[in-house]
Amino acid sequence: MATELGPRAMFVAGGTDLYPKLKRRQFEIDTLIGLDFLTHGIRNGSTECTVDAGVTLSEAAHHAHLRHGFAGYAQAAGLVSSPPLRNAGTIGGNLCVDTRCNYYDMTYEWRKAAGFCLKKDGDICLVAPSSPRCWAVSSSDTAPAAISLDGAVTLVGLDGERDVPVAALYRDDGIDYMAKKPSEVVTGLRLKATPGTRSAYIKLRRRGSIDFPIAGAAVALVLDGDVVAGCRIVLSAVASHPLEAEAAEAFLIGKRPDAEVIREAAELAAKPAKPLDNADLSHFWRKRMVRVVVEQALERAATEMPG
Ligand SMILES: Cc1cc2nc3c(=O)[nH]c(=O)nc-3n(C[C@H](O)[C@H](O)[C@H](O)COP(=O)(O)OP(=O)(O)OC[C@H]3O[C@@H](n4cnc5c(N)ncnc54)[C@H](O)[C@@H]3O)c2cc1C
Ligand code: SF4
């Protein structure tokens, strides 16, 4: 159906992001394809864990094996929106959730009064009018955590099934933000962790009870004795895709993650983050806070019990 109907149809899982957007006419479609048929389990291995796309965020957040071996992912799932939305929202939907912008996540009437924008119905970007592209912000909490834990998704479409690293699932484009075909369904997520991995996710938002992230850091550390042997740091809500802080990762390898080293790594990690004036609170302050969330995530991961 998705292939046949093209842009006239969309998949719906929990509907927690899609339904409000349909009401605001951010998507205008005539067919919803329900994904209730997706399986709904979490399977443990010693170094990996497979989470079906239909698993709810609440289930993922409370799952004992995820909380122990893949703590950063469980923490991220437990920090999405609010408890009722986590009971309905799925991990597949969270990986595919639309990018956000203050000029786009508004009612139809508001957007009409503002003259619309590139992402829907308009022809300029209201945040950066001279820019040819949309800078809407990747706001999934679990995508950065899945990348930090070497996650890969299974995609199923008319051409069959394929596995894609979560890191390769996104494009740096606020409109065309997913690298999968629109007709492909995410059916599952496989997280990998070298034994001894310690992971954490720290999220900043205005209201801890419900809001999307305005900065977030997912960290996975592997320690050899007391020095870092492996490290992934992935930022949320600072670009149109989850942003990996590669310079900070390279800096940490071979070092003992003490307070001084963590502070320097956090400075490096914040450098590539370039928040724009299209999300909650001031973008200057958000930029400064990226360093803080990375520092807190590194501290938390370094002191976690290894998975
Ligand atoms: C008030 C409020 C606060 C929120 N706060 C947060 C937050 O803090 N962090 C956050 O990350 N999200 C937040 N969300 C968004 C949303 O609740 C979550 O992202 C949720 O995980 C989406 O999952 P869902 O199953 O409801 O997806 P849906 O709404 O059903 O779908 C979302 C998108 O993914 C596509 N899709 C869904 N499942 C699949 C699949 N298996 N394969 C292919 N495409 C698929 C849909 O077509 C749609 O484009 C918030 C939403 C609201 C309304
Ligand atoms: S970044 Fe620009 S084009 Fe994209 S949603 Fe915002 S205003 Fe629209």
Side-chain angles (χ1 to χ4, degrees), residues 6-244:
R8 287 169 45 213
M10 286 181 85
F11 297 120
V12 64
T16 61
D17 199 63
L18 187 55
Y19 290 150
K21 294 205 161 188
L22 291 176
K23 288 185 187 171
R24 296 192 292 256
R25 285 187 266 171
Q26 287 164 273
F27 299 112
E28 291 175 284
I29 53 169
D30 49 42
T31 305
L32 277 173
I33 304 171
L35 296 178
D36 298 5
F37 59 85
L38 288 178
T39 47
H40 208 263
I42 301 179
R43 287 171 297 283
N44 312 332
S46 55
T47 56
E48 62 175 47
C49 185
T50 307
V51 188
D52 292 338
V55 165
T56 65
L57 293 157
S58 294
E59 288 167 333
H62 293 115
H63 192 266
H65 184 66
L66 283 175
R67 284 166 69 102
H68 174 64
F70 305 86
Y73 184 79
Q75 288 160 13
L79 287 169
V80 173
S81 55
S82 65
L85 294 176
R86 289 198 292 275
N87 290 341
T90 62
I91 66 114
N94 195 244
L95 288 170
C96 299
V97 71
D98 195 11
T99 53
R100 292 182 61 76
C101 171
N102 278 351
Y103 294 87
Y104 165 71
D105 289 291
M106 290 291 185
T107 61
Y108 179 83
E109 290 71 22
W110 191 101
R111 287 184 287 120
K112 187 176 174 193
F116 297 115
C117 77
L118 272 181
K119 190 157 157 80
K120 181 78 176 83
D121 298 324
D123 47 21
I124 59 160
C125 170
L126 297 174
V127 184
S130 57
S131 166
R133 59 161 283 189
C134 164
W135 297 90
V137 181
S138 167
S139 302
S140 165
D141 285 299
T142 64
I147 295 171
S148 74
L149 290 162
D150 257 339
V153 285
T154 304
L155 300 177
V156 176
L158 270 193
D159 298 333
E161 185 175 307
R162 62 189 180 117
D163 283 353
V164 173
V166 181
L169 192 60
Y170 303 101
R171 294 201 181 104
D172 186 12
D173 185 319
I175 297 173
D176 202 7
Y177 61 95
M178 294 217 74
K180 75 172 188 64
K181 291 184 198 150
S183 58
E184 281 179 312
V185 177
V186 176
T187 58
L189 167 70
R190 207 179 53 253
L191 299 172
K192 282 195 230 142
T194 312
T197 301
R198 302 148 195 260
S199 60
Y201 181 71
I202 297 287
K203 167 175 180 171
L204 177 70
R205 51 180 165 174
R206 187 190 287 262
R207 296 167 299 177
S209 54
I210 192 159
D211 286 326
F212 279 89
I214 50 173
V219 162
L221 285 180
V222 180
L223 297 185
D224 180 6
D226 60 357
V227 302
V228 177
C231 170
R232 303 284 295 267
I233 303 173
V234 189
L235 309 176
S236 41
V238 295
S240 295
H241 62 119
L243 188 68
E244 187 147 10

